[in-house]
Amino acid sequence: MRVILTSHGSTGDIYPIIALAVALQRAGHHVRFATIPHYQMEIEQAGIEFLPLCPNWAQADLSYWMGRLQKIRTPIYQLRELYVGARPYIPEMIARMDRALGDADLLVSSYLFPMNRMIAERRGVPFATFSFAHHVIPSPDYPPENLPSPAWLGTRTRRAWNRWLWKTGDAIVDRVINGAVAGALRTARLPKVRHFFAAPAECVLVGVSETLMRPRTAELDPRFRFTGYCRWQAPADPTLETELQAFTGGKPVPVLTFGSMVYENPGAVMERFVRSWPKDRRIIVQRGWAQFPQLGDEATFKVIGKVSHDQLFRHASAIIHHGGAGTTASALHAGKPQVVVPHIGDQTFFGMEVERLGCGFRLKRSRWPENLHVTLDRLAANPDHARRAAEVKSVLAREDGPARAIAELEAFVARKARAQSAGPAAVR
């Protein structure tokens, strides 16, 4: 197959798609990854052909928009801000994607960019989406995240209530997206976005562990296919490895990484943290998009730059992170107990999942610099967290997300081909 993959955002939105691209290519398919030039080097280092989409944002631009999103508390308005930021570039992005699909057999897009569906349908190219989380899958057996579904309603009434909530949420999100990008869609002569939750595509890959994350008793539309995690890691840094070994003395220490989260004054946050952290305990802090500065005693605080999660988390006694989809996946694969400090969007959901799995718990963002050491003491005081984290790691080691995803995509394209050859009646 000639496959085009596309996604945008932080590394948590890019690296799973790189993993899928690498696996598809090894399986004999021709793969191109369409995204902004910021990720070109990493995509090409993985051996994947890169297709440039605008805008040509630098790290400072990405950090700026992440900062804007973090100031918005309501997920619906965060979503709107995402499309408002992309709006000036959408016509050119649509034009480039339209040209690229001229010889494609399949388009796989992040679920956050539903306009790709209309481009693919206009071209007659099979379209699938990739979801980094499972809380966007509608079901009559549970409501959308953070909305009430009282048990006292009774099973039949509660299921009807949940259906109504999902249908209403679908309509609201569709309206928000269409309101933000209506002009761009008209320019490209594309129809409005529809069914963001209920039917984003005929095939939706859900890139999390089916064993750990799939609601066992819930009724789900069969278009949603749990594949397991797709994870790509940059090559290890031997120089940094030497530094980390020297810093830790070969003994695990807490590791803090907030990934793509940003702060208006990261120096002030780091100063609060240094003042509160015990002087006799070492900790590794990853700068991330916040660019935390090196403050405090270098024998206590090891502040580092970009490095693969797998390399970094090998040195962790516990992992403190923001609850991003990619970081949560890496922390679960590392088999280490966790403290999740949600900052935005679905990170609270992933923190709740970490708690549900028994691997750790959440800490409020507002006071994490002052409370982290006490929270880590609580985490260490209960060995069940470490035991459960090791069990989760063992489960994940038996799963092969990319292979499962490829099987689903190949079967999907084959079904589409059979339906097309059988004629309109079979398609209906």
Side-chain angles (χ1 to χ4, degrees), residues 26-153:
R26 287 175 179 168
H29 302 292
H30 179 264
V31 184
R32 291 174 288 171
F33 193 151
T35 188
I36 62 175
H38 182 75
Y39 297 108
Q40 179 174 357
M41 183 180 70
E42 288 155 299
I43 291 167
E44 291 181 341
Q45 283 179 343
I48 305 302
E49 183 180 344
F50 170 74
L51 283 177
L53 295 180
C54 51
N56 189 11
W57 279 343
Q59 182 59 62
D61 302 308
L62 293 169
S63 297
Y64 166 77
W65 282 105
M66 182 59 74
R68 285 187 59 163
L69 290 174
Q70 285 179 218
K71 293 177 181 177
I72 302 171
R73 294 188 178 275
T74 307
I76 291 292
Y77 290 111
Q78 290 171 350
L79 191 65
R80 181 184 182 279
E81 190 72 8
L82 179 71
Y83 293 109
V84 167
R87 183 164 55 195
Y89 313 98
I90 287 177
E92 180 61 24
M93 293 170 71
I94 290 174
R96 293 188 186 190
M97 183 62 72
D98 188 63
R99 290 193 295 269
L101 287 176
D103 62 348
D105 300 308
L106 172 67
L107 172 62
V108 182
S109 169
S110 164
Y111 77 101
L112 285 172
F113 298 90
M115 58 282 298
N116 286 321
R117 172 182 176 177
M118 283 80 78
I119 307 171
E121 288 178 346
R122 185 167 67 183
R123 281 282 188 173
V125 176
F127 175 71
T129 60
F130 190 103
S131 175
F132 308 102
H134 46 297
H135 69 303
V136 296
I137 304 175
S139 171
D141 294 307
Y142 54 77
E145 186 183 0
N146 296 326
L147 293 179
S149 181
W152 53 262
L153 285 175

Side-chain angles (χ1 to χ4, degrees), residues 327-339:
T327 307
T328 302
S330 292
L332 293 174
H333 278 80
K336 305 294 177 70
Q338 306 169 45
V339 174

Side-chain angles (χ1 to χ4, degrees), residues 97-396:
M97 183 62 72
D98 188 63
R99 290 193 295 269
L101 287 176
D103 62 348
D105 300 308
L106 172 67
L107 172 62
V108 182
S109 169
S110 164
Y111 77 101
L112 285 172
F113 298 90
M115 58 282 298
N116 286 321
R117 172 182 176 177
M118 283 80 78
I119 307 171
E121 288 178 346
R122 185 167 67 183
R123 281 282 188 173
V125 176
F127 175 71
T129 60
F130 190 103
S131 175
F132 308 102
H134 46 297
H135 69 303
V136 296
I137 304 175
S139 171
D141 294 307
Y142 54 77
E145 186 183 0
N146 296 326
L147 293 179
S149 181
W152 53 262
L153 285 175
T155 301
R156 195 176 282 184
T157 305
R158 189 170 65 253
R159 283 169 60 88
W161 170 252
N162 290 338
R163 286 192 183 96
W164 182 83
L165 287 175
W166 280 108
K167 184 177 180 179
T168 302
D170 226 14
I172 292 172
V173 172
D174 288 352
R175 183 174 180 178
V176 166
I177 297 174
N178 288 319
V181 301
L185 294 178
R186 283 195 299 269
T187 300
R189 296 181 181 179
L190 291 175
K192 292 181 178 180
V193 171
R194 60 192 188 278
H195 307 311
F196 181 87
F197 288 122
E202 293 179 51
C203 175
V204 183
L205 305 180
V206 185
V208 300
S209 168
E210 183 171 29
T211 304
L212 298 175
M213 307 298 191
R214 191 185 193 282
R216 287 296 166 194
T217 60
E219 176 188 328
L220 303 180
D221 189 301
R223 75 179 67 232
F224 295 94
R225 314 294 292 183
F226 282 75
T227 64
Y229 287 107
C230 295
R231 298 179 61 246
W232 180 83
Q233 297 286 293
D237 182 338
T239 301
L240 179 60
E241 185 66 23
T242 301
E243 293 178 12
L244 293 177
Q245 288 285 356
F247 176 76
T248 63
K251 297 180 180 179
V253 302
V255 169
L256 185 151
T257 176
F258 287 157
S260 58
M261 299 300 97
V262 300
Y263 287 85
E264 289 187 354
N265 192 340
V269 174
M270 195 66 178
E271 286 175 359
R272 289 168 54 197
F273 179 49
V274 169
R275 283 196 301 268
S276 302
W277 185 257
K279 306 304 180 194
D280 59 343
R281 295 170 65 174
R282 297 177 181 180
I283 185 169
I284 299 170
V285 177
Q286 191 170 33
R287 295 185 189 278
W289 285 20
Q291 286 299 293
F292 288 124
Q294 173 71 63
L295 300 176
D297 182 2
E298 292 187 6
T300 302
F301 301 92
K302 177 68 174 176
V303 181
I304 64 171
K306 195 171 184 178
V307 63
S308 77
H309 283 150
D310 284 0
Q311 180 180 1
L312 177 58
F313 292 169
R314 283 196 295 268
H315 299 277
S317 58
I319 301 167
I320 306 99
H321 63 94
H322 56 300
T327 307
T328 302
S330 292
L332 293 174
H333 278 80
K336 305 294 177 70
Q338 306 169 45
V339 174
V340 181
V341 185
H343 287 60
I344 187 177
D346 57 9
Q347 294 168 7
T348 296
F349 171 77
F350 279 113
M352 293 170 64
E353 287 291 83
V354 167
E355 291 178 328
R356 180 183 65 80
L357 293 170
C359 298
F361 37 77
R362 288 172 288 160
L363 176 63
K364 288 185 178 180
R365 176 191 176 191
S366 60
R367 295 290 293 171
W368 77 259
E370 290 77 20
N371 296 337
L372 181 58
H373 67 286
V374 177
T375 305
L376 286 170
D377 288 342
R378 285 179 51 214
L379 191 69
N382 186 348
D384 286 344
H385 294 305
R387 175 188 58 79
R388 182 56 184 154
E391 292 173 353
V392 166
K393 177 182 179 180
S394 179
V395 170
L396 294 176

